[in-house]
């Protein structure tokens, strides 16, 4: 028998935290290398508008989406993560025994027991000493995996090797209003010290709560249950909390005031591109609440907005429209450059925030990036969220050159909405089959892509690589 230990209540009293000394930590821990894998096929959103018999602009203007990546029955989350990981290792010539941690962030689940990470271990030859596992919570898993990797490197557990973070999903929806918000993509990142994209220490804050805005209770289907209006409110509530807390942390650390003017580029989880416009406007609204005197608004607007509660403000079209207008020029310079891949691929769930990061590097040269602060906001329904910041500490030119995003996007093939719908129906019909051989054409995949060769009588999946 273990005797219960009596602990004085005061032991759990909230204590003030003194400023931390970061000098003992490895310097500039962050993203050393990164790459993205996306399928070779996509459907144009403007074609889907016609096919779905909706108003012109519903997807291209209302969601601000251009194209949507998708895959047929030859690809699944295992194959996509295998491709992204192997491509990163090859492009950067990373020794396999230099990896000491590998964590996967995804919500695309094929097995209730076996992790994606264990599938990826097939790439590491004799290096079996690799920590880490899968991290799952809607679109947040990639950020959790990244923060876990950084924490490992900054801890007494670190053995001096690099960490790998692999994050992404296949986002598919049942026919209807949500289907155009799908997408597919996986991002792989090498994490270590002296990184060009370094996390700013002491500037990270999270918001978690219990919500039913998006979830997947049916394990026999890829399709989620979605409460769209609730999800947007949950997202904005999490953003408000994180931005305000991030602001307070910055001001305590630097003894300087913080507004969005301290942000050089703003990156948000992007279920659809229009959401980032909502988010950046929301930052301005939060700045207004603290410093209304710095905004050129009418007396009625100042009075109405100042007395509006948070929950009321989430559904206020006047708030949204006003701060769209206030931030329209900033939005073009601080947010539009990060939206290339989210607009081209659609929602890659856990990978979304990191496709935005690759988009920024693809769209901007070093002179526009060096020493800049990137505000990163990660959200996953259910809900989990974190705001943190990256500093561009050195040139990301190698990432730009090796990821080659612009040229690779141009190599994709556009297919008709009819072909897209047939591919979605095929995925639906074959999702949990056994003794199945996919029918998709291997020649249509990019070279270097891992693909599903067959599912055997015990539902074990077998893969090949298109060389």
């Amino acid at each position: 028998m273990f005797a219960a230990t009596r602990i004085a209540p005061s032991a759990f009293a909230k204590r003030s935290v003194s400023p931390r000394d970061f000098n003992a930590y490895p310097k500039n821990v962050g993203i050393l290398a990164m790459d993205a894998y996306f399928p070779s096929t996509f459907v144009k959103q403007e074609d889907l508008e016609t096919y779905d018999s909706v108003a012109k602009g519903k997807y291209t203007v209302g969601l601000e989406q251009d194209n949507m990546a998708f895959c047929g029955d030859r690809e699944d989350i295992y194959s996509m993560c295998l491709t992204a990981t192997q491509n990163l290792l090859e492009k950067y010539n990373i020794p396999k025994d230099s990896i000491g941690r590998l964590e996967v962030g995804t919500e695309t689940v094929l097995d209730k027991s076996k992790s994606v990470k264990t599938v990826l271990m097939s790439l590491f030859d004799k290096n079996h000493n690799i920590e880490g596992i899968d991290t799952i919570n809607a679109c947040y898993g990639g950020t959790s995996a990244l923060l876990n990797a950084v924490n490992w490197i900054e801890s007494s557990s670190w053995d001096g090797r690099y960490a790998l973070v692999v994050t992404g999903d296949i986002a598919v929806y049942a026919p209807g209003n949500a289907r155009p918000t799908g997408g597919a993509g996986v991002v792989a990142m090498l994490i270590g010290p002296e990184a060009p994209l370094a996390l700013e220490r002491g500037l990270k804050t999270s918001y978690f709560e219990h919500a039913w805005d998006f979830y997947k209770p049916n394990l026999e289907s890829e399709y989620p249950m979605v409460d769209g209006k609730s999800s947007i409110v949950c997202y904005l509530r999490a953003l408000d909390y994180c931005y305000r807390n991030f602001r307070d942390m910055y001001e305590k650390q630097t003894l300087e005031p913080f507004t969005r003017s301290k942000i050089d580029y703003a990156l948000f989880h992007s279920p659809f591109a229009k959401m980032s416009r909502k988010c950046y406007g929301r930052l301005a609204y939060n700045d207004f609440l603290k410093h209304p005197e710095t905004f050129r608004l009418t007396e009625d607007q100042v009075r109405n907005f100042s007395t509006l509660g948070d929950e009321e403000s989430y559904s206020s079209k006047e708030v949204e429209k006003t701060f769209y207008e206030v931030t329209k020029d900033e939005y073009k310079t601080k947010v539009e450059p990060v939206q290339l891949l989210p607009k081209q691929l659609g929602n890659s769930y856990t990978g979304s925030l990191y496709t935005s990061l690759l988009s920024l590097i693809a769209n901007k040269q070093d002179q526009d990036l060096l020493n800049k602060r990137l505000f990163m906001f990660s959200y996953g329904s259910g809900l989990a969220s974190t705001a943190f910041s990256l500093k561009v500490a050195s040139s990301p030119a190698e990432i730009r050159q090796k990821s080659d995003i612009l040229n690779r996007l141009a190599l994709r093939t556009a297919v008709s909405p009819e072909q897209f719908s047939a591919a979605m129906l095929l995925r639906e019909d074959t999702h949990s089959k056994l003794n199945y051989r996919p029918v998709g054409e291997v020649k249509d995949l990019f070279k270097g892509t891992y693909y599903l060769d067959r599912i055997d009588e015990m539902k074990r999946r077998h893969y090949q690589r298109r060389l």
Side-chain angles (χ1 to χ4, degrees), residues 126-141:
K126 297 180 180 179
N127 181 12
H128 302 289
N129 182 20
I130 301 179
E131 295 183 15
I133 206 67
D134 293 2
T135 300
I136 298 175
N137 186 87
C139 303
Y140 182 77

Side-chain angles (χ1 to χ4, degrees), residues 45 48 51-52 54 58-59 63 68 172-182 223 420-421 424:
Q45 292 282 5
L48 278 178
Y51 179 76
D52 291 343
V54 300
K58 183 175 177 66
Y59 308 152
L63 298 176
M68 180 167 54
V172 291
Y173 294 85
N177 292 336
R179 176 157 277 189
T181 63
Y223 300 147
F420 164 71
S421 295
M424 293 299 98

Side-chain angles (χ1 to χ4, degrees), residues 133-237:
I133 206 67
D134 293 2
T135 300
I136 298 175
N137 186 87
C139 303
Y140 182 77
T143 293
S144 181
L146 172 63
L147 299 179
N148 288 346
V150 170
N151 290 342
W152 176 69
I153 290 169
E154 293 183 342
S155 76
S156 61
S157 296
W158 187 41
D159 63 5
R161 293 183 294 168
Y162 298 118
L164 269 181
V165 170
V166 182
T167 181
D169 285 282
I170 301 169
V172 291
Y173 294 85
N177 292 336
R179 176 157 277 189
T181 63
V186 171
V187 175
M189 298 176 277
L190 185 72
I191 312 302
E194 303 300 337
L197 304 171
L199 275 76
E200 289 195 280
R201 289 193 174 117
L203 294 179
K204 179 186 67 178
T205 183
S206 296
Y207 178 83
F208 287 68
E209 72 170 57
H210 174 45
W212 291 104
D213 55 324
F214 172 109
Y215 53 105
K216 294 179 177 177
N218 183 4
L219 298 179
E220 293 301 311
S221 171
E222 292 187 287
Y223 300 147
M225 304 286 287
V226 186
D227 183 341
K229 290 184 179 179
S230 172
S231 193
I232 289 175
V233 170
C234 287
Y235 188 121
L236 295 178
R237 183 163 61 245

